[in-house]
Amino acid sequence: MTTSHPPASRDVMTWEWTQFEPFYKQLSDYSLNEDNVSKWLTYWSRLQDLIYERYQRHYVATTLDTTNKQAEKNYKHFLDEIYPRSQAADQEQKEKILQSGIEPEGFEIPLRNMRAQSELYREANLPLLSEELKLASEYSKITSVQTIEWEGQELTIDQVTPLLQATDRSQRERVWRLARQRQLADRSAINDVWVKFMDLRRQLAANADLDDFRTYRWRQLLRFDYTPDDCAEFRQAIREVIVPAAMRTYEQRRERLGLGTLRPWDLNVDPINRPPLRPFGEASELESKTASIFQQMDPQLGAYFESMRKDGMLDLENRKGKAPGAYCTDYTAIRKPFVFMNAVGIHDDVQTLIHESGHAFHVLETANLPYHPQLEVAMEFAEVASMSMEFLAGPYLTTDKGGFYMPAEAARARIEHLEFSLQFWPYIAVVDEFQHGVYENHTAATDPSNCDAKWGDLWDTYMLGVDWSGFEDEKMTGWHRKLHIFEEPFYYVEYGLAQLGAVQVWHNAQSDQAAAIAAYRQSLSLGGTVTLPQLFETAGARFAFDTRTVGEAVALMEKTIEELQS
Ligand SMILES: [Zn+2]
């Protein structure tokens, strides 16, 4: 720490591990005490910042141009040769600070996480964890090659979704049936993978001396601030107040479409058969109008967005060779966000850029946190940063505010967003309750037919308002189509909790927008230095599972939908 300082981020892009190693050796050799710990942490953080930024830069390069062979080679080299070694070296430092017993200020939460991870660590689980990754890719391999033939074209299941917006109902039904039939053809293949996952997960828990996989996973996901009982309370609230509200949205949709019953293929079409919104032509227009929206919403958020434009940290337009999807990542050494997406001129693009910008604001707000591990924010709150922006941006979508739409179009976009958000909660409850049921009854749930029955029951409990009759198999195998259940068990309720936080931030903005955004920014700036309840509270929200909080959120959403419809 006294002899040599880590270099600047650009310089380490081509370093081999041997060039990083001496810096880690200095950290390992250092004798830690209360007085020098912050110096040691700063030094270690700088190394982590540099290596993590390099990781992200390699990854970003591969997504900007998937045909760039050199970028792919660099990324692979980093993942094979540098990253595992840096992880091992970081692990050594984690053990060092844990063993020192020193609790540096602002480092309580990262230490708590490190302690939990180290308690859960078992060498015997390492081969099982890589086996789990292989099973995940087996599952992905099955689902990613599912295609249907439609009007002479081969379409993936994802490419089917826009066709479900067709105003021709019989076309929607045909394409929906084709997609579901194709998925059902893999029913037994997916069931086989499931059985392997279940056996493996039982062993993971046993090796960690835990009674069941849920307990194991709870600790692995670092869920310190809530329990399975809290999730059950949340689902109860969803059942009481959201399921009826979602049913009202379905009923209105049914009426507007003039249908006797609403079928699963009637959920994506515009209820009064309008053509899709076309908010912009070029991606530059998406960028400049979104800049105006943030400028009007709050001067500091506006300034943040401008700084990203100026720094070239937005790559928005769809191009040949670009990877699909959207993300926001952080370059930790320079403490700047980078936003990637594939804009083609639809409303989803507006929504995506506003969402990813929320993540970007999080990166910018935490720029002054000294230690790298403080930048890790739990998902339950990370999505509050992004989802809040989606709700808060609503009133600024019109052209008179610098946005994209005439008032009627903006109203339509906001109603769609609010209805989708409402309808999302019951689905989250199905996915959540299913998984609790599975791992509370591990042996029974290893038999896929029991899972089918459970999913079917839950669907009939939470997803009311849509008529699935005649499609029993399609309904019961719905769990096959939820990647998280296979690849990221229990990871889903986070979205529901974050959305509830976001609606509360939006609620606060109704009475005092400046204060609501100041609290929002303050909570973002804490990064991962405090607990989830503290983060929510700082944002002006409750980290809550109860019927009252959920009910208030739904009331505001329904009231706003009603106002927008009149
Ligand atoms: Zn997000």
Side-chain angles (χ1 to χ4, degrees):
M1 262 125 288
T2 45
T3 49
S4 56
H5 293 280
S9 59
R10 287 286 184 181
D11 299 340
V12 304
M13 283 305 289
T14 55
W15 275 24
E16 292 299 332
W17 176 247
T18 49
Q19 291 167 281
F20 288 106
E21 210 173 8
F23 295 99
Y24 272 103
K25 183 154 188 330
Q26 284 203 60
L27 285 168
S28 299
D29 291 346
Y30 207 67
S31 111
L32 267 187
N33 61 45
E34 300 271 358
D35 296 326
N36 64 22
V37 67
S38 81
K39 203 171 161 192
W40 179 85
L41 268 180
T42 307
Y43 192 92
W44 177 27
S45 290
R46 181 68 190 156
L47 279 176
Q48 290 178 290
D49 281 347
L50 287 167
I51 291 171
Y52 186 78
E53 177 166 324
R54 175 165 164 191
Y55 185 170
Q56 296 311 300
R57 286 188 182 276
H58 284 311
Y59 170 73
V60 167
T62 63
T63 62
L64 289 177
D65 180 3
T66 54
T67 66
N68 183 340
K69 292 277 176 260
Q70 189 58 44
E72 199 186 311
K73 218 174 118 194
N74 294 344
Y75 185 42
K76 191 174 179 311
H77 176 73
F78 176 82
L79 288 181
D80 289 344
E81 304 298 329
I82 316 280
Y83 194 59
R85 294 189 169 92
S86 75
Q87 288 232 297
D90 283 332
Q91 188 56 36
E92 207 180 300
Q93 310 317 315
K94 287 180 191 173
E95 297 298 336
K96 185 182 174 101
I97 187 153
L98 283 177
Q99 275 158 26
S100 78
I102 305 169
E103 300 242 347
E105 206 191 318
F107 213 65
E108 298 81 2
I109 299 295
L111 271 181
R112 179 197 69 179
N113 298 348
M114 287 174 195
R115 202 172 292 125
Q117 283 160 342
S118 133
E119 279 163 14
L120 197 62
Y121 177 85
R122 296 289 186 281
E123 204 166 337
N125 273 343
L126 294 181
L128 296 185
L129 290 167
S130 32
E131 185 59 31
E132 197 183 23
L133 288 176
K134 280 185 207 144
L135 286 180
S137 71
E138 240 180 83
Y139 169 79
S140 296
K141 217 180 280 167
I142 296 170
T143 54
S144 66
V145 298
Q146 291 173 333
T147 57
I148 64 161
E149 176 125 347
W150 183 258
E151 293 176 347
Q153 273 194 310
E154 196 183 2
L155 301 180
T156 65
I157 299 296
D158 281 344
Q159 288 169 331
V160 165
T161 311
L163 297 176
L164 292 170
Q165 295 175 359
T167 51
D168 176 351
R169 193 182 192 207
S170 68
Q171 178 191 318
R172 295 200 303 269
E173 178 176 348
R174 269 183 292 132
V175 76
W176 186 89
R177 282 172 178 267
L178 278 176
R180 293 296 93 83
Q181 278 160 12
R182 176 62 192 87
Q183 290 174 315
L184 273 176
D186 286 327
R187 189 172 186 174
S188 68
I190 292 178
N191 282 340
D192 290 346
V193 181
W194 176 251
V195 174
K196 291 187 211 164
F197 265 121
M198 291 299 279
D199 290 343
L200 182 109
R201 285 174 178 162
R202 186 198 292 281
Q203 196 55 45
L204 277 172
N207 286 351
D209 307 304
L210 297 171
D211 291 339
D212 56 77
F213 179 72
R214 180 172 65 180
T215 311
Y216 174 86
R217 187 64 175 152
W218 221 260
R219 296 188 189 181
Q220 196 187 26
L221 287 170
L222 302 171
R223 289 180 173 178
F224 298 99
D225 300 306
Y226 60 107
T227 64
D229 284 345
D230 291 322
C231 294
E233 187 191 359
F234 188 43
R235 295 192 304 266
Q236 177 62 27
I238 289 173
R239 197 144 72 183
E240 269 175 48
V241 290
I242 302 182
V243 170
M247 282 176 76
R248 289 189 279 276
T249 66
Y250 290 130
E251 176 55 17
Q252 195 185 52
R253 163 173 285 270
R254 185 194 65 75
E255 258 175 36
R256 293 198 165 179
L257 285 167
L259 302 173
T261 56
L262 203 61
R263 304 290 271 163
W265 49 85
D266 296 323
L267 305 178
N268 296 66
V269 62
D270 182 72
I272 47 173
N273 288 336
R274 291 161 295 191
L277 292 168
R278 292 276 168 228
F280 59 91
E282 300 290 311
S284 59
E285 194 185 344
L286 170 65
E287 192 179 309
S288 62
K289 289 186 171 166
T290 306
S292 312
I293 287 174
F294 283 123
Q295 198 60 53
Q296 300 249 354
M297 205 196 287
D298 178 76
Q300 183 56 52
L301 298 183
Y304 280 154
F305 194 84
E306 272 316 322
S307 77
M308 292 168 66
R309 297 179 78 186
K310 193 169 71 41
D311 294 338
M313 293 298 187
L314 302 168
D315 195 302
L316 308 183
E317 85 278 9
N318 174 258
R319 289 188 303 271
K320 195 155 176 267
K322 215 171 152 177
Y327 61 78
C328 169
T329 188
D330 50 340
Y331 291 152
T332 43
I334 58 170
R335 298 294 175 106
K336 284 182 180 176
F338 177 81
V339 170
F340 172 99
M341 61 180 282
N342 280 284
V344 292
I346 60 176
H347 177 66
D348 250 7
D349 298 331
V350 174
Q351 207 69 22
T352 299
L353 181 55
I354 289 168
H355 179 100
E356 298 304 337
S357 298
H359 289 307
F361 300 153
H362 215 157
V363 174
L364 291 162
E365 285 291 346
T366 51
N368 292 321
L369 286 175
Y371 308 135
H372 182 90
Q374 294 173 320
L375 304 176
E376 276 165 40
V377 181
M379 279 297 303
E380 292 86 347
F381 190 73
E383 289 296 316
V384 174
S386 50
M387 287 177 162
S388 296
M389 289 297 104
E390 294 182 37
F391 289 102
L392 282 173
Y396 302 92
L397 292 174
T398 46
T399 47
D400 62 322
K401 300 272 172 39
F404 299 88
Y405 298 121
M406 301 312 288
E409 296 170 321
R412 172 183 168 189
R414 292 186 69 193
I415 291 166
E416 266 176 31
H417 174 242
L418 289 164
E419 289 189 345
F420 172 79
S421 304
L422 266 179
Q423 294 160 0
F424 189 30
W425 268 313
Y427 180 71
I428 291 170
V430 172
V431 175
D432 189 55
E433 188 162 336
F434 176 81
Q435 302 195 82
H436 285 273
V438 160
Y439 296 105
E440 279 172 345
N441 305 282
H442 203 117
T443 306
T446 304
D447 178 349
S449 66
N450 290 328
C451 295
D452 288 349
K454 177 79 179 168
W455 184 273
D457 284 348
L458 292 170
W459 201 260
D460 293 339
T461 305
Y462 289 101
M463 303 301 283
L464 304 176
V466 182
D467 176 8
W468 278 72
S469 57
F471 297 98
E472 288 306 311
D473 284 332
E474 288 81 350
K475 183 174 80 178
M476 292 200 303
T477 52
W479 59 285
H480 279 190
R481 303 191 285 275
K482 182 80 296 191
L483 170 144
H484 298 69
I485 292 172
F486 291 81
E487 300 190 5
E488 293 286 343
F490 284 104
Y491 173 48
Y492 213 62
V493 71
E494 284 85 346
Y495 293 107
L497 297 171
Q499 187 167 284
L500 188 54
V503 175
Q504 292 177 77
V505 170
W506 173 51
H507 195 169
N508 297 341
Q510 312 282 309
S511 47
D512 188 342
Q513 170 137 319
I517 290 181
Y520 162 87
R521 286 186 46 214
Q522 174 66 25
S523 67
L524 265 51
S525 75
L526 295 171
T529 61
V530 299
T531 64
L532 276 173
Q534 288 171 312
L535 285 171
F536 274 71
E537 195 187 320
T538 310
R542 281 191 301 267
F543 184 56
F545 308 85
D546 59 292
T547 307
R548 184 170 70 94
T549 309
V550 173
E552 283 169 9
V554 171
L556 173 63
M557 292 163 90
E558 284 202 287
K559 184 180 94 125
T560 308
I561 291 171
E562 220 171 279
E563 284 165 7
L564 290 165
Q565 278 171 342
S566 61

